[in-house]
């Protein structure tokens, strides 16, 4: 298994099979948003997610950015593993003020 890094994405692959991924956004030069962690079903979710979070932590620390968390697992992880790069005001993931997904337009259909 190897961790692959691309701007905004960390992945763990085994050969050509994607096992887990972490997606983040750069809001500006000083702020990143850890958006989503995905672990393929039937994989050791906690172990793979922690590997991605630890690598993300190193990247954020090196970049000297503040991080906002959207992913619920990441919020639980950092609640028990405090760090100093988290932004003071976090983005809500539930309730009326929660960040909402982009609305898709059902009448727009792409043709191949």
């Amino acid at each position: 298994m190897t961790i692959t890094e691309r701007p905004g994405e960390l992945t763990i692959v085994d050969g050509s099979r994607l096992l887990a991924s972490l997606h983040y956004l750069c809001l500006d030069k000083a702020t990143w948003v850890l958006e989503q962690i995905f672990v393929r079903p039937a994989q050791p979710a906690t172990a793979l997610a922690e590997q991605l979070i630890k690598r993300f932590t190193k990247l954020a620390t090196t970049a000297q950015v503040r991080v906002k968390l959207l992913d619920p697992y990441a919020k639980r992880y950092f609640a028990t593993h405090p760090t100093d790069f988290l932004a003071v005001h976090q983005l809500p993931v539930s309730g009326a003020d929660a960040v909402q997904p982009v609305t898709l337009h059902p009448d727009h259909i792409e043709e191949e």
Side-chain angles (χ1 to χ4, degrees):
M1 289 189 294
T2 58
I3 294 181
T4 303
E5 300 175 14
R6 288 188 287 273
E9 179 183 47
L10 302 174
T11 58
I12 297 178
V13 294
D14 186 13
S16 62
R17 186 170 183 220
L18 175 67
L19 301 180
S21 63
L22 181 151
H23 297 270
Y24 63 97
L25 305 169
C26 298
L27 290 182
D28 54 44
K29 291 180 182 180
T31 311
W32 290 358
V33 176
L34 193 161
E35 181 182 28
Q36 176 186 36
I37 299 172
F38 164 79
V39 178
R40 183 179 295 280
Q43 298 301 316
T46 301
L48 293 176
E50 284 188 16
Q51 286 180 44
L52 291 171
I53 288 173
K54 288 177 180 177
R55 181 63 192 142
F56 176 80
T57 298
K58 288 180 184 176
L59 293 173
T61 301
T62 300
Q64 298 179 336
V65 295
R66 288 292 192 207
V67 174
K68 293 183 180 243
L69 304 171
L70 275 180
D71 184 82
Y73 180 85
K75 284 184 176 245
R76 287 191 306 272
Y77 178 87
F78 286 112
T80 58
H81 299 81
T83 183
D84 61 351
F85 68 67
L86 294 180
V88 175
H89 300 289
Q90 290 296 318
L91 301 167
V93 293
S94 62
D97 295 327
V99 176
Q100 300 297 315
V102 175
T103 304
L104 299 177
H105 300 284
D107 30 331
H108 174 76
I109 299 172
E110 291 187 27
E111 300 201 21
E112 294 184 31

